[in-house]
Amino acid sequence: MSGRRERRQAELADRVAEERQAGLLPEREPVERKPPARSRPLYVPPRGWLGAGGGRVGYLDPPTMWRATTVQACGMWPFSAGSGSPMTGVPLGQHLFTGATVCGDPLNWFTRARYISNPSLFMLGMPGLGKSTLINRMLIGLSATGVVPLVLGDLKPDYADTVRALGGQVISIGRGRGGINVLDPGAMGAAARRIGGKAGEVLLAEAHGRVLNMVAALITIVRGRPMDDHEQSVLSAVLHQLREHPPAGRPVLLPDVLRVLAEGPDRVRAVTLDRGDVTRYRDAVDPLHRSLLGILDGPLGDTFASETSTHIDPDAPAVCIDISGIGEADTQLTAAAMLAAWSDGLGTVAASHALADAGLAPRRWFFTVLDELWRPLRAASGIVDRIDALTRLNRSLGLGDAKITHTLKDAEALGTDADRAKARGFVERAGMVVCAGLPKAEMEDLGRVVGLSRREIDLVSSWSSPPGWGVTGENEEPPGRGRFLIKVGGRPGIPIKVAITDAERRLHNTNTRWTPNAGAEG
């Protein structure tokens, strides 16, 4: 109360002084006063003095804020200010707390920003929260910068429409849809012939090893166990024989391998140590012969026994190998198709780099996407080894990768301890780890691998909650849809909110089977 009274007295004294100075009040005789016991500083109200001429102002609303690029707003706002969010890479969304734009992707954070030492991303989250939608945005943004997206085994499909919209190539694999000739060197063979010389011979030798590994992987899938070492030697000799004496007018096919085994040329018989005994030769090659017959006459024959239906275009701006036509219960064919797609796709990457090294083509970077990681991991152990090698060598291969799955428990469902250890290493070696909504128990397990704070665990766990029971609108979404936490090493996580555009929504609708057909009666 005393402070308010003093302010009023001070304002009244100032007003009297102003009126006396203006001649509105008579001058008073000076009165001798005693000096105050203590001096008091002049009080200035924060919004000015009351009354006319006091300069008092009312409440001002904060100015409207607009966000624009430096090209658009450089004349209006020629100042610069630092941002607390990374601005290098594909625009992903807004920071959940500050509203700042957040940009990022594995390739740009590895090559330009140097935030990560490995151009890879691992994403986890419950179904329906937008994991593949975020990767789809990265795919579109990277394609605009010249990076070639490779979806080597689209299981739903989630990316085929986007690849078509980008002017890319979509290849369908499955029974009655299309096949892959695993003996065809593809782009690597074409690049080796174009390069020629010693470098071309080296590339042909690498193509031979890739074909050998692919056929061995098919035999492993059919048998349920790896090939023996001497069988791989026999198979290698058969492939060398076919490369030196190819059939006229067509590429080499798997039935040709059976024919060479049956004929038993000297080059093949030499590695079996038959010593001229036909019986010993048959004993050595019959298990391999039976496994190849199992491929051709079994569930894989329709897909891998004939010529490649559609070759990958090395100059395509994007490539998607669609294997969604294979049923979920057909694990053998799924595993074989995934392995064949990855072998063919990575062979195209190797051919592109070989041509660039020889100065015959420009350097290109690639971005591979492996969605629904749990399905290929459970299909066959050979895929675990292939993905494991990719995560260790993607820097030298000149490509970034994104792997998407639901939980860390997907790795625990693998058959052997070795495969489980390899699958857990995918998260540990990832340059970026992105989390959508996950249960708290899962976040606790992930925190031991990635290093999450208690606040980050609670935040991501809250995104896994379903909508309330009272929700009745058609457009109501789970609270965690479109929200992600980006973790890089020991840095604090970056929570973002992704809002997709209408074009993205049309291209990437993962609930098409739940959408009524146009014109259908409700």
Side-chain angles (χ1 to χ4, degrees), residues 443 445-453 456-457 487 489-493:
M443 290 301 298
D445 295 339
L446 182 62
R448 286 189 283 270
V449 178
V450 179
L452 298 169
S453 67
E456 291 170 342
I457 291 175
K487 286 290 292 186
R491 293 188 176 98

Side-chain angles (χ1 to χ4, degrees), residues 96-97 126 129 435-441 443 454-467 477-481 483-485 495:
L96 197 60
F97 301 140
M126 295 180 66
L129 296 183
C435 304
L438 286 168
K440 181 166 290 188
M443 290 301 298
R454 174 53 54 185
R455 183 176 181 183
E456 291 170 342
I457 291 175
D458 293 339
L459 177 65
V460 178
S461 300
S462 67
W463 297 339
S464 63
S465 302
E477 297 182 346
R481 179 170 294 175
R483 288 171 168 79
F484 305 92
L485 180 72

Side-chain angles (χ1 to χ4, degrees), residues 384-463:
V384 179
D385 294 329
R386 180 60 57 87
I387 299 172
D388 180 66
L390 176 65
T391 58
R392 297 176 186 272
L393 301 176
N394 50 1
R395 287 184 300 174
S396 59
L397 292 175
L399 57 87
D401 70 274
K403 294 175 285 296
I404 312 171
T405 190
H406 294 150
T407 70
L408 287 178
K409 293 182 176 61
D410 293 333
E412 302 300 326
L414 299 180
T416 65
D417 293 337
D419 285 348
R420 286 191 288 269
K422 293 172 186 175
R424 285 192 296 268
F426 298 159
V427 184
E428 297 170 353
R429 290 192 300 274
M432 302 170 60
V433 177
V434 181
C435 304
L438 286 168
K440 181 166 290 188
E442 179 68 23
M443 290 301 298
E444 297 282 356
D445 295 339
L446 182 62
R448 286 189 283 270
V449 178
V450 179
L452 298 169
S453 67
R454 174 53 54 185
R455 183 176 181 183
E456 291 170 342
I457 291 175
D458 293 339
L459 177 65
V460 178
S461 300
S462 67
W463 297 339

Side-chain angles (χ1 to χ4, degrees), residues 161 244 271 367 402 504:
D161 290 340
E244 296 172 0
V271 299
F367 179 59
E504 288 176 306

Side-chain angles (χ1 to χ4, degrees), residues 69-154:
T69 66
T70 54
V71 174
Q72 296 169 320
C74 60
M76 298 175 59
W77 187 257
F79 307 108
S80 61
S83 174
S85 302
M87 298 292 290
T88 303
V90 177
L92 302 179
Q94 290 183 305
H95 196 287
L96 197 60
F97 301 140
T98 66
T101 301
V102 178
C103 303
D105 61 80
L107 273 76
N108 282 292
W109 279 17
F110 173 73
T111 58
R112 295 172 56 197
R114 304 290 182 181
Y115 293 150
I116 57 179
S117 58
N118 188 15
S120 63
L121 179 149
F122 198 95
M123 179 177 289
L124 303 97
M126 295 180 66
L129 296 183
K131 300 185 301 297
S132 55
T133 301
L134 180 62
I135 299 300
N136 195 64
R137 172 166 292 186
M138 289 187 185
L139 185 149
I140 296 172
L142 288 171
S143 176
T145 64
V147 176
V148 181
L150 299 175
V151 186
L152 303 177
D154 197 351

